[in-house]
């Protein structure tokens, strides 16, 4: 009887704790959504089946949708993709020259 009571209280405690955590998590989600620029939400609404990603090029903050045609797209434009490729090639050449490969 005592044991059952203790177990009940422990679970009740745990449940309250988890409830608080979930509540805090939801609160944070809500705040984050409020901070988002409105055009992003609009964009999301227009293309419900594609997700918005940010360009992988450092310094570029363009956003774009991933479509079924290019599900692994990482850059907002061919220009950004090319720029990043050039950097990778250049770095590889440096490593080659320094014998770090
Ligand atoms: Zn870009």
């Amino acid at each position: 009887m005592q044991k059952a009571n203790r177990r009940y209280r422990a679970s009740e405690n745990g449940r309250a704790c988890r409830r608080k955590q979930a509540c805090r998590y939801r609160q944070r989600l809500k705040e984050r959504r409020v901070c988002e620029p409105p055009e992003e939400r609009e964009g999301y609404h227009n293309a419900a089946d594609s997700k918005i990603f940010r360009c992988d090029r450092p310094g570029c903050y363009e956003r774009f949708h991933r479509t079924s045609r290019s599900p692994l797209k990482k850059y907002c434009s061919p220009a950004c993709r090319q720029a990043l490729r050039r950097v990778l090639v250049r770095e590889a050449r440096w490593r080659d020259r320094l014998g770090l490969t």
Side-chain angles (χ1 to χ4, degrees), residues 72-89:
L72 296 173
K73 199 175 159 188
K74 280 158 86 178
Y75 308 103
C76 67
S77 63
C80 278
R81 193 169 45 85
Q82 282 294 322
L84 253 286
R85 254 204 77 68
R86 272 199 300 273
V87 169
L88 287 180
V89 166

Side-chain angles (χ1 to χ4, degrees), residues 55-57 60-62 64 74-77 79-81:
C55 184
D56 249 23
R57 181 188 183 188
C60 180
Y61 301 104
E62 285 299 318
F64 57 84
K74 280 158 86 178
Y75 308 103
C76 67
S77 63
C80 278
R81 193 169 45 85

